Amino acid sequence: MPTPHYGQPRYRVIADALRERIESGAIPPGALLPTESALIAEFRVSRGTIRHAIAALREQQLVVTDHGRGTYASSGRPGSGIDEDSARETRQRQVAADTELAALFAVEVGTALVEQQRVSRTNGTVGTVIRTYRMLRAKQ
Amino acid sequence: MPTPHYGQPRYRVIADALRERIESGAIPPGALLPTESALIAEFRVSRGTIRHAIAALREQQLVVTDHGRGTYASSGRPGSGIDEDSARETRQRQVAADTELAALFAVEVGTALVEQQRVSRTNGTVGTVIRTYRMLRAKQ
DNA sequence: AGAAATTTGTCCGTATGTATC
DNA sequence: AGATACATACGGACAAATTTC
């Protein structure tokens, strides 16, 4: 099979499926995810794609992987039981330029800019929020 | 060639080398990193290893990658004051938390946060504006 | 204690798709 | 349209940590 990644790439589809199992409780916190081999068989993709999907979950700190052991669903927090719906780690949206951004980019106030927001947590608590602003890509 | 990854894996060695260039100012904020092809030639490793290294930097939010364009250095960090022109573009101030920031940091709306703003220019024109928010007391 | 099996980690090479220049 | 550059996906091979026998 060639590699036409129409729509969503497969690793992301797989990552979403696994995230769904974790968030629905099908794979409770602390439990092992299926092994890479099992996921390869289930989704019929190569190992690299499975590892890519798991890496994406790891980036979102939804799982933890131990060499030689396996990948565990992240253990929420012992005792707390309920976890707020955690904000997305990264998000992208369009915002209107405030006066300062407008001055920097040399555009009118209110011009649409792309804002990318990244949240980094340390031990579950938010450490920093980074917002990056760019111009919309205009053809050059 | 087998794959003896004695000591540090190569992708991490490469990631460290690139991080060093960024933090030293050799690759200033906003500048493009060498292309994957160039890095392949320089370090004499496969493309996958280069991409692994860059993915590690991306995880640390030290770089940002644009499809078809390249990978940009995102933000150096203080300590190596080589970029004087970009230093003037850096500003720090206190701001009141908006509703979203307040939710992320789990504080009251209006709580004072530290906002650090960095402006990256490419050929004189503003490329990106990065605003980083932190709690006041938190050390990082 | 030791060997084998299991499981994740690293690395390579190739091919093709998609976005940008 | 062509060249360049990053993205996705496959397959194979060997290394390292853990568990099992």
Side-chain angles (χ1 to χ4, degrees):
Chain A
M1 259 121 197
T3 313
H5 38 285
Y6 302 119
Q8 290 249 313
R10 306 168 74 158
Y11 80 87
R12 204 173 305 167
V13 173
I14 295 170
D16 288 341
L18 293 176
R19 173 167 44 241
E20 171 59 26
R21 292 184 203 177
I22 293 171
E23 289 174 345
S24 73
I27 302 178
L32 276 172
L33 269 64
T35 67
E36 293 180 354
S37 304
L39 294 172
I40 289 168
E42 177 182 350
F43 292 100
R44 312 239 203 103
V45 295
S46 74
R47 191 170 165 224
T49 302
I50 293 296
R51 288 181 61 77
H52 198 162
I54 292 180
L57 297 177
R58 200 160 35 225
E59 243 172 87
Q60 300 168 323
Q61 307 187 342
L62 231 82
V63 300
V64 175
T65 301
D66 279 358
H67 191 167
R69 297 181 92 104
T71 296
Y72 298 86
S74 94
S75 58
R77 289 274 24 225
S80 78
I82 301 157
D83 52 342
E84 304 321 295
D85 127 284
S86 62
R88 296 191 98 56
E89 293 295 50
T90 82
R91 186 198 58 192
Q92 193 166 354
R93 64 178 176 183
Q94 286 188 24
V95 298
D98 60 33
T99 51
E100 186 174 7
L101 289 174
L104 285 169
F105 285 102
V107 297
E108 302 275 336
V109 171
T111 300
L113 298 175
V114 177
E115 177 194 85
Q116 184 168 13
Q117 175 172 295
R118 295 186 277 270
V119 179
S120 52
R121 291 185 158 80
T122 311
N123 300 331
T125 66
V126 172
T128 61
V129 176
I130 301 174
R131 288 177 177 169
T132 304
Y133 299 88
R134 303 175 216 278
M135 294 282 289
L136 286 171
R137 298 272 180 235
K139 271 312 189 181
Q140 292 184 0
Chain B
M1 269 151 263
T3 312
H5 39 286
Y6 301 119
Q8 293 257 93
R10 314 190 26 175
Y11 79 87
R12 201 173 307 166
V13 172
I14 295 169
D16 288 342
L18 293 175
R19 174 167 43 241
E20 171 59 25
R21 291 184 203 177
I22 295 171
E23 290 176 344
S24 73
I27 303 178
L32 277 173
L33 268 65
T35 68
E36 293 180 353
S37 304
L39 293 172
I40 289 168
E42 176 181 351
F43 291 100
R44 280 181 275 166
V45 295
S46 75
R47 186 151 173 249
T49 301
I50 293 296
R51 287 181 60 77
H52 198 161
I54 292 180
L57 296 177
R58 199 158 39 222
E59 233 170 282
Q60 300 167 341
Q61 308 185 341
L62 226 80
V63 301
V64 173
T65 301
D66 279 0
H67 192 163
R69 293 190 153 214
T71 297
Y72 297 85
S74 178
S75 77
R77 276 277 47 198
S80 53
I82 296 189
D83 37 20
E84 44 235 296
D85 48 359
S86 121
R88 202 164 35 114
E89 301 276 25
T90 302
R91 186 206 58 195
Q92 192 166 339
R93 65 178 176 183
Q94 287 188 23
V95 299
D98 60 34
T99 52
E100 186 176 6
L101 289 173
L104 285 169
F105 285 103
V107 298
E108 301 275 340
V109 172
T111 301
L113 298 176
V114 177
E115 178 195 83
Q116 185 168 10
Q117 175 173 297
R118 294 188 275 279
V119 179
S120 304
R121 291 176 193 273
T122 310
N123 300 332
T125 66
V126 172
T128 60
V129 176
I130 302 173
R131 289 177 175 170
T132 304
Y133 299 89
R134 296 188 185 80
M135 293 285 287
L136 267 178
R137 52 173 182 77
K139 185 268 179 191
Q140 184 165 359

PDB file of all heavy atoms in Angstrom, chain A residues 15-48:
ATOM      1  N   ALA A  15      -4.155   7.087  17.625  1.00  0.00           N
ATOM      2  CA  ALA A  15      -3.969   7.790  18.890  1.00  0.00           C
ATOM      3  C   ALA A  15      -5.315   8.203  19.467  1.00  0.00           C
ATOM      4  O   ALA A  15      -5.558   8.066  20.673  1.00  0.00           O
ATOM      5  CB  ALA A  15      -3.066   9.013  18.689  1.00  0.00           C
ATOM      6  N   ASP A  16      -6.208   8.672  18.604  1.00  0.00           N
ATOM      7  CA  ASP A  16      -7.527   9.088  19.076  1.00  0.00           C
ATOM      8  C   ASP A  16      -8.314   7.899  19.612  1.00  0.00           C
ATOM      9  O   ASP A  16      -8.996   7.998  20.636  1.00  0.00           O
ATOM     10  CB  ASP A  16      -8.305   9.768  17.949  1.00  0.00           C
ATOM     11  CG  ASP A  16      -7.748  11.155  17.635  1.00  0.00           C
ATOM     12  OD1 ASP A  16      -7.036  11.699  18.495  1.00  0.00           O
ATOM     13  OD2 ASP A  16      -8.013  11.680  16.535  1.00  0.00           O
ATOM     14  N   ALA A  17      -8.197   6.778  18.932  1.00  0.00           N
ATOM     15  CA  ALA A  17      -8.911   5.583  19.389  1.00  0.00           C
ATOM     16  C   ALA A  17      -8.417   5.159  20.767  1.00  0.00           C
ATOM     17  O   ALA A  17      -9.215   4.819  21.652  1.00  0.00           O
ATOM     18  CB  ALA A  17      -8.721   4.452  18.378  1.00  0.00           C
ATOM     19  N   LEU A  18      -7.112   5.209  20.949  1.00  0.00           N
ATOM     20  CA  LEU A  18      -6.555   4.803  22.241  1.00  0.00           C
ATOM     21  C   LEU A  18      -6.922   5.811  23.323  1.00  0.00           C
ATOM     22  O   LEU A  18      -7.248   5.441  24.456  1.00  0.00           O
ATOM     23  CB  LEU A  18      -5.038   4.662  22.126  1.00  0.00           C
ATOM     24  CG  LEU A  18      -4.573   3.508  21.234  1.00  0.00           C
ATOM     25  CD1 LEU A  18      -3.061   3.510  21.100  1.00  0.00           C
ATOM     26  CD2 LEU A  18      -5.057   2.178  21.793  1.00  0.00           C
ATOM     27  N   ARG A  19      -6.906   7.083  22.953  1.00  0.00           N
ATOM     28  CA  ARG A  19      -7.276   8.102  23.941  1.00  0.00           C
ATOM     29  C   ARG A  19      -8.721   7.900  24.377  1.00  0.00           C
ATOM     30  O   ARG A  19      -9.059   8.027  25.555  1.00  0.00           O
ATOM     31  CB  ARG A  19      -7.094   9.499  23.365  1.00  0.00           C
ATOM     32  CG  ARG A  19      -7.620  10.577  24.303  1.00  0.00           C
ATOM     33  CD  ARG A  19      -7.171  11.960  23.893  1.00  0.00           C
ATOM     34  NE  ARG A  19      -7.306  12.160  22.468  1.00  0.00           N
ATOM     35  CZ  ARG A  19      -6.297  12.437  21.652  1.00  0.00           C
ATOM     36  NH1 ARG A  19      -5.089  12.570  22.145  1.00  0.00           N
ATOM     37  NH2 ARG A  19      -6.491  12.591  20.377  1.00  0.00           N
ATOM     38  N   GLU A  20      -9.554   7.544  23.410  1.00  0.00           N
ATOM     39  CA  GLU A  20     -10.952   7.301  23.737  1.00  0.00           C
ATOM     40  C   GLU A  20     -11.070   6.165  24.756  1.00  0.00           C
ATOM     41  O   GLU A  20     -11.833   6.248  25.718  1.00  0.00           O
ATOM     42  CB  GLU A  20     -11.718   6.956  22.458  1.00  0.00           C
ATOM     43  CG  GLU A  20     -13.130   6.463  22.684  1.00  0.00           C
ATOM     44  CD  GLU A  20     -13.988   7.482  23.426  1.00  0.00           C
ATOM     45  OE1 GLU A  20     -13.689   8.687  23.337  1.00  0.00           O
ATOM     46  OE2 GLU A  20     -14.951   7.060  24.110  1.00  0.00           O
ATOM     47  N   ARG A  21     -10.291   5.123  24.573  1.00  0.00           N
ATOM     48  CA  ARG A  21     -10.360   3.993  25.515  1.00  0.00           C
ATOM     49  C   ARG A  21      -9.904   4.397  26.901  1.00  0.00           C
ATOM     50  O   ARG A  21     -10.426   3.925  27.900  1.00  0.00           O
ATOM     51  CB  ARG A  21      -9.464   2.847  25.020  1.00  0.00           C
ATOM     52  CG  ARG A  21      -9.981   2.200  23.771  1.00  0.00           C
ATOM     53  CD  ARG A  21      -9.129   1.025  23.378  1.00  0.00           C
ATOM     54  NE  ARG A  21      -9.289   0.769  21.943  1.00  0.00           N
ATOM     55  CZ  ARG A  21      -8.621  -0.158  21.279  1.00  0.00           C
ATOM     56  NH1 ARG A  21      -7.742  -0.908  21.912  1.00  0.00           N
ATOM     57  NH2 ARG A  21      -8.825  -0.327  19.993  1.00  0.00           N
ATOM     58  N   ILE A  22      -8.934   5.261  26.941  1.00  0.00           N
ATOM     59  CA  ILE A  22      -8.420   5.675  28.244  1.00  0.00           C
ATOM     60  C   ILE A  22      -9.433   6.582  28.929  1.00  0.00           C
ATOM     61  O   ILE A  22      -9.779   6.383  30.095  1.00  0.00           O
ATOM     62  CB  ILE A  22      -7.069   6.404  28.072  1.00  0.00           C
ATOM     63  CG1 ILE A  22      -6.015   5.417  27.566  1.00  0.00           C
ATOM     64  CG2 ILE A  22      -6.632   7.025  29.387  1.00  0.00           C
ATOM     65  CD1 ILE A  22      -4.717   6.071  27.161  1.00  0.00           C
ATOM     66  N   GLU A  23      -9.932   7.555  28.167  1.00  0.00           N
ATOM     67  CA  GLU A  23     -10.840   8.522  28.792  1.00  0.00           C
ATOM     68  C   GLU A  23     -12.190   7.911  29.114  1.00  0.00           C
ATOM     69  O   GLU A  23     -12.889   8.379  30.003  1.00  0.00           O
ATOM     70  CB  GLU A  23     -10.988   9.741  27.876  1.00  0.00           C
ATOM     71  CG  GLU A  23      -9.714  10.573  27.837  1.00  0.00           C
ATOM     72  CD  GLU A  23      -9.784  11.703  26.823  1.00  0.00           C
ATOM     73  OE1 GLU A  23     -10.676  11.676  25.975  1.00  0.00           O
ATOM     74  OE2 GLU A  23      -8.924  12.608  26.910  1.00  0.00           O
ATOM     75  N   SER A  24     -12.549   6.857  28.402  1.00  0.00           N
ATOM     76  CA  SER A  24     -13.827   6.207  28.688  1.00  0.00           C
ATOM     77  C   SER A  24     -13.683   5.210  29.837  1.00  0.00           C
ATOM     78  O   SER A  24     -14.674   4.699  30.339  1.00  0.00           O
ATOM     79  CB  SER A  24     -14.309   5.457  27.447  1.00  0.00           C
ATOM     80  OG  SER A  24     -13.533   4.295  27.249  1.00  0.00           O
ATOM     81  N   GLY A  25     -12.450   4.941  30.228  1.00  0.00           N
ATOM     82  CA  GLY A  25     -12.256   4.007  31.324  1.00  0.00           C
ATOM     83  C   GLY A  25     -12.055   2.572  30.856  1.00  0.00           C
ATOM     84  O   GLY A  25     -11.822   1.678  31.669  1.00  0.00           O
ATOM     85  N   ALA A  26     -12.166   2.351  29.561  1.00  0.00           N
ATOM     86  CA  ALA A  26     -11.934   0.999  29.052  1.00  0.00           C
ATOM     87  C   ALA A  26     -10.516   0.547  29.406  1.00  0.00           C
ATOM     88  O   ALA A  26     -10.277  -0.625  29.693  1.00  0.00           O
ATOM     89  CB  ALA A  26     -12.144   0.957  27.538  1.00  0.00           C
ATOM     90  N   ILE A  27      -9.606   1.491  29.381  1.00  0.00           N
ATOM     91  CA  ILE A  27      -8.258   1.225  29.886  1.00  0.00           C
ATOM     92  C   ILE A  27      -8.067   2.132  31.083  1.00  0.00           C
ATOM     93  O   ILE A  27      -7.758   3.306  30.939  1.00  0.00           O
ATOM     94  CB  ILE A  27      -7.183   1.532  28.824  1.00  0.00           C
ATOM     95  CG1 ILE A  27      -7.438   0.691  27.578  1.00  0.00           C
ATOM     96  CG2 ILE A  27      -5.798   1.250  29.392  1.00  0.00           C
ATOM     97  CD1 ILE A  27      -6.447   0.955  26.459  1.00  0.00           C
ATOM     98  N   PRO A  28      -8.278   1.599  32.284  1.00  0.00           N
ATOM     99  CA  PRO A  28      -8.251   2.456  33.471  1.00  0.00           C
ATOM    100  C   PRO A  28      -6.840   2.932  33.779  1.00  0.00           C
ATOM    101  O   PRO A  28      -5.866   2.348  33.311  1.00  0.00           O
ATOM    102  CB  PRO A  28      -8.770   1.525  34.572  1.00  0.00           C
ATOM    103  CG  PRO A  28      -8.491   0.145  34.087  1.00  0.00           C
ATOM    104  CD  PRO A  28      -8.550   0.200  32.590  1.00  0.00           C
ATOM    105  N   PRO A  29      -6.732   3.996  34.553  1.00  0.00           N
ATOM    106  CA  PRO A  29      -5.419   4.540  34.912  1.00  0.00           C
ATOM    107  C   PRO A  29      -4.551   3.466  35.558  1.00  0.00           C
ATOM    108  O   PRO A  29      -5.014   2.714  36.397  1.00  0.00           O
ATOM    109  CB  PRO A  29      -5.763   5.636  35.921  1.00  0.00           C
ATOM    110  CG  PRO A  29      -7.164   6.018  35.606  1.00  0.00           C
ATOM    111  CD  PRO A  29      -7.833   4.771  35.115  1.00  0.00           C
ATOM    112  N   GLY A  30      -3.336   3.407  35.125  1.00  0.00           N
ATOM    113  CA  GLY A  30      -2.419   2.441  35.689  1.00  0.00           C
ATOM    114  C   GLY A  30      -2.374   1.140  34.918  1.00  0.00           C
ATOM    115  O   GLY A  30      -1.440   0.351  35.097  1.00  0.00           O
ATOM    116  N   ALA A  31      -3.379   0.914  34.089  1.00  0.00           N
ATOM    117  CA  ALA A  31      -3.417  -0.337  33.329  1.00  0.00           C
ATOM    118  C   ALA A  31      -2.500  -0.241  32.123  1.00  0.00           C
ATOM    119  O   ALA A  31      -2.176   0.843  31.647  1.00  0.00           O
ATOM    120  CB  ALA A  31      -4.844  -0.642  32.893  1.00  0.00           C
ATOM    121  N   LEU A  32      -2.095  -1.401  31.663  1.00  0.00           N
ATOM    122  CA  LEU A  32      -1.233  -1.458  30.487  1.00  0.00           C
ATOM    123  C   LEU A  32      -2.063  -1.335  29.218  1.00  0.00           C
ATOM    124  O   LEU A  32      -3.141  -1.925  29.101  1.00  0.00           O
ATOM    125  CB  LEU A  32      -0.477  -2.778  30.451  1.00  0.00           C
ATOM    126  CG  LEU A  32       0.809  -2.882  31.271  1.00  0.00           C
ATOM    127  CD1 LEU A  32       1.318  -4.312  31.270  1.00  0.00           C
ATOM    128  CD2 LEU A  32       1.854  -1.946  30.711  1.00  0.00           C
ATOM    129  N   LEU A  33      -1.561  -0.585  28.302  1.00  0.00           N
ATOM    130  CA  LEU A  33      -2.149  -0.584  26.969  1.00  0.00           C
ATOM    131  C   LEU A  33      -1.773  -1.890  26.280  1.00  0.00           C
ATOM    132  O   LEU A  33      -0.860  -2.584  26.731  1.00  0.00           O
ATOM    133  CB  LEU A  33      -1.606   0.595  26.155  1.00  0.00           C
ATOM    134  CG  LEU A  33      -2.381   1.905  26.199  1.00  0.00           C
ATOM    135  CD1 LEU A  33      -2.378   2.491  27.593  1.00  0.00           C
ATOM    136  CD2 LEU A  33      -1.783   2.904  25.223  1.00  0.00           C
ATOM    137  N   PRO A  34      -2.471  -2.228  25.215  1.00  0.00           N
ATOM    138  CA  PRO A  34      -2.034  -3.399  24.445  1.00  0.00           C
ATOM    139  C   PRO A  34      -0.588  -3.205  24.001  1.00  0.00           C
ATOM    140  O   PRO A  34      -0.129  -2.075  23.834  1.00  0.00           O
ATOM    141  CB  PRO A  34      -2.987  -3.396  23.244  1.00  0.00           C
ATOM    142  CG  PRO A  34      -4.186  -2.635  23.700  1.00  0.00           C
ATOM    143  CD  PRO A  34      -3.684  -1.608  24.660  1.00  0.00           C
ATOM    144  N   THR A  35       0.110  -4.294  23.826  1.00  0.00           N
ATOM    145  CA  THR A  35       1.506  -4.192  23.382  1.00  0.00           C
ATOM    146  C   THR A  35       1.540  -3.689  21.951  1.00  0.00           C
ATOM    147  O   THR A  35       0.548  -3.709  21.232  1.00  0.00           O
ATOM    148  CB  THR A  35       2.191  -5.561  23.435  1.00  0.00           C
ATOM    149  OG1 THR A  35       1.595  -6.417  22.463  1.00  0.00           O
ATOM    150  CG2 THR A  35       2.064  -6.174  24.815  1.00  0.00           C
ATOM    151  N   GLU A  36       2.701  -3.242  21.557  1.00  0.00           N
ATOM    152  CA  GLU A  36       2.854  -2.764  20.181  1.00  0.00           C
ATOM    153  C   GLU A  36       2.452  -3.861  19.207  1.00  0.00           C
ATOM    154  O   GLU A  36       1.765  -3.599  18.214  1.00  0.00           O
ATOM    155  CB  GLU A  36       4.301  -2.343  19.940  1.00  0.00           C
ATOM    156  CG  GLU A  36       4.704  -1.117  20.748  1.00  0.00           C
ATOM    157  CD  GLU A  36       6.158  -0.730  20.491  1.00  0.00           C
ATOM    158  OE1 GLU A  36       6.866  -1.478  19.792  1.00  0.00           O
ATOM    159  OE2 GLU A  36       6.585   0.317  20.991  1.00  0.00           O
ATOM    160  N   SER A  37       2.861  -5.079  19.501  1.00  0.00           N
ATOM    161  CA  SER A  37       2.519  -6.186  18.599  1.00  0.00           C
ATOM    162  C   SER A  37       1.011  -6.336  18.476  1.00  0.00           C
ATOM    163  O   SER A  37       0.485  -6.557  17.374  1.00  0.00           O
ATOM    164  CB  SER A  37       3.118  -7.490  19.128  1.00  0.00           C
ATOM    165  OG  SER A  37       4.497  -7.365  19.294  1.00  0.00           O
ATOM    166  N   ALA A  38       0.322  -6.236  19.608  1.00  0.00           N
ATOM    167  CA  ALA A  38      -1.130  -6.384  19.574  1.00  0.00           C
ATOM    168  C   ALA A  38      -1.766  -5.261  18.769  1.00  0.00           C
ATOM    169  O   ALA A  38      -2.702  -5.495  17.991  1.00  0.00           O
ATOM    170  CB  ALA A  38      -1.685  -6.396  21.002  1.00  0.00           C
ATOM    171  N   LEU A  39      -1.260  -4.060  18.928  1.00  0.00           N
ATOM    172  CA  LEU A  39      -1.824  -2.928  18.204  1.00  0.00           C
ATOM    173  C   LEU A  39      -1.536  -3.038  16.711  1.00  0.00           C
ATOM    174  O   LEU A  39      -2.353  -2.658  15.875  1.00  0.00           O
ATOM    175  CB  LEU A  39      -1.269  -1.618  18.769  1.00  0.00           C
ATOM    176  CG  LEU A  39      -1.708  -1.320  20.214  1.00  0.00           C
ATOM    177  CD1 LEU A  39      -0.967  -0.119  20.764  1.00  0.00           C
ATOM    178  CD2 LEU A  39      -3.211  -1.099  20.283  1.00  0.00           C
ATOM    179  N   ILE A  40      -0.370  -3.564  16.398  1.00  0.00           N
ATOM    180  CA  ILE A  40      -0.029  -3.787  14.991  1.00  0.00           C
ATOM    181  C   ILE A  40      -1.054  -4.731  14.369  1.00  0.00           C
ATOM    182  O   ILE A  40      -1.563  -4.489  13.277  1.00  0.00           O
ATOM    183  CB  ILE A  40       1.390  -4.389  14.882  1.00  0.00           C
ATOM    184  CG1 ILE A  40       2.433  -3.330  15.228  1.00  0.00           C
ATOM    185  CG2 ILE A  40       1.621  -4.959  13.492  1.00  0.00           C
ATOM    186  CD1 ILE A  40       3.825  -3.894  15.428  1.00  0.00           C
ATOM    187  N   ALA A  41      -1.377  -5.798  15.118  1.00  0.00           N
ATOM    188  CA  ALA A  41      -2.330  -6.777  14.600  1.00  0.00           C
ATOM    189  C   ALA A  41      -3.718  -6.160  14.503  1.00  0.00           C
ATOM    190  O   ALA A  41      -4.436  -6.378  13.527  1.00  0.00           O
ATOM    191  CB  ALA A  41      -2.346  -8.005  15.515  1.00  0.00           C
ATOM    192  N   GLU A  42      -4.084  -5.386  15.512  1.00  0.00           N
ATOM    193  CA  GLU A  42      -5.426  -4.828  15.521  1.00  0.00           C
ATOM    194  C   GLU A  42      -5.639  -3.802  14.413  1.00  0.00           C
ATOM    195  O   GLU A  42      -6.638  -3.837  13.702  1.00  0.00           O
ATOM    196  CB  GLU A  42      -5.711  -4.184  16.880  1.00  0.00           C
ATOM    197  CG  GLU A  42      -7.079  -3.519  16.926  1.00  0.00           C
ATOM    198  CD  GLU A  42      -7.353  -2.843  18.265  1.00  0.00           C
ATOM    199  OE1 GLU A  42      -6.567  -3.053  19.208  1.00  0.00           O
ATOM    200  OE2 GLU A  42      -8.361  -2.117  18.332  1.00  0.00           O
ATOM    201  N   PHE A  43      -4.718  -2.875  14.287  1.00  0.00           N
ATOM    202  CA  PHE A  43      -4.913  -1.790  13.321  1.00  0.00           C
ATOM    203  C   PHE A  43      -4.272  -2.087  11.975  1.00  0.00           C
ATOM    204  O   PHE A  43      -4.424  -1.319  11.029  1.00  0.00           O
ATOM    205  CB  PHE A  43      -4.360  -0.483  13.894  1.00  0.00           C
ATOM    206  CG  PHE A  43      -5.144   0.040  15.069  1.00  0.00           C
ATOM    207  CD1 PHE A  43      -4.695  -0.162  16.370  1.00  0.00           C
ATOM    208  CD2 PHE A  43      -6.328   0.726  14.878  1.00  0.00           C
ATOM    209  CE1 PHE A  43      -5.420   0.320  17.453  1.00  0.00           C
ATOM    210  CE2 PHE A  43      -7.059   1.210  15.956  1.00  0.00           C
ATOM    211  CZ  PHE A  43      -6.600   1.006  17.249  1.00  0.00           C
ATOM    212  N   ARG A  44      -3.510  -3.193  11.924  1.00  0.00           N
ATOM    213  CA  ARG A  44      -2.859  -3.583  10.658  1.00  0.00           C
ATOM    214  C   ARG A  44      -2.041  -2.460  10.083  1.00  0.00           C
ATOM    215  O   ARG A  44      -2.227  -2.050   8.928  1.00  0.00           O
ATOM    216  CB  ARG A  44      -3.902  -3.983   9.645  1.00  0.00           C
ATOM    217  CG  ARG A  44      -4.867  -4.926  10.284  1.00  0.00           C
ATOM    218  CD  ARG A  44      -4.960  -6.245   9.627  1.00  0.00           C
ATOM    219  NE  ARG A  44      -6.256  -6.816   9.985  1.00  0.00           N
ATOM    220  CZ  ARG A  44      -7.267  -6.829   9.149  1.00  0.00           C
ATOM    221  NH1 ARG A  44      -7.127  -6.351   7.942  1.00  0.00           N
ATOM    222  NH2 ARG A  44      -8.392  -7.352   9.526  1.00  0.00           N
ATOM    223  N   VAL A  45      -1.184  -1.926  10.900  1.00  0.00           N
ATOM    224  CA  VAL A  45      -0.236  -0.925  10.430  1.00  0.00           C
ATOM    225  C   VAL A  45       1.144  -1.364  10.879  1.00  0.00           C
ATOM    226  O   VAL A  45       1.294  -2.344  11.602  1.00  0.00           O
ATOM    227  CB  VAL A  45      -0.555   0.467  11.010  1.00  0.00           C
ATOM    228  CG1 VAL A  45      -1.897   0.962  10.507  1.00  0.00           C
ATOM    229  CG2 VAL A  45      -0.526   0.438  12.529  1.00  0.00           C
ATOM    230  N   SER A  46       2.131  -0.626  10.433  1.00  0.00           N
ATOM    231  CA  SER A  46       3.490  -0.993  10.789  1.00  0.00           C
ATOM    232  C   SER A  46       3.808  -0.549  12.212  1.00  0.00           C
ATOM    233  O   SER A  46       3.079   0.247  12.822  1.00  0.00           O
ATOM    234  CB  SER A  46       4.484  -0.335   9.838  1.00  0.00           C
ATOM    235  OG  SER A  46       4.594   1.036  10.128  1.00  0.00           O
ATOM    236  N   ARG A  47       4.894  -1.042  12.715  1.00  0.00           N
ATOM    237  CA  ARG A  47       5.266  -0.728  14.083  1.00  0.00           C
ATOM    238  C   ARG A  47       5.546   0.767  14.244  1.00  0.00           C
ATOM    239  O   ARG A  47       5.210   1.370  15.271  1.00  0.00           O
ATOM    240  CB  ARG A  47       6.507  -1.539  14.473  1.00  0.00           C
ATOM    241  CG  ARG A  47       6.784  -1.469  15.943  1.00  0.00           C
ATOM    242  CD  ARG A  47       7.859  -2.457  16.384  1.00  0.00           C
ATOM    243  NE  ARG A  47       8.326  -2.088  17.711  1.00  0.00           N
ATOM    244  CZ  ARG A  47       9.589  -2.059  18.070  1.00  0.00           C
ATOM    245  NH1 ARG A  47      10.526  -2.415  17.214  1.00  0.00           N
ATOM    246  NH2 ARG A  47       9.920  -1.696  19.277  1.00  0.00           N
ATOM    247  N   GLY A  48       6.177   1.330  13.245  1.00  0.00           N
ATOM    248  CA  GLY A  48       6.482   2.748  13.320  1.00  0.00           C
ATOM    249  C   GLY A  48       5.236   3.596  13.496  1.00  0.00           C
ATOM    250  O   GLY A  48       5.247   4.580  14.251  1.00  0.00           O
TER     251      GLY A  48
END
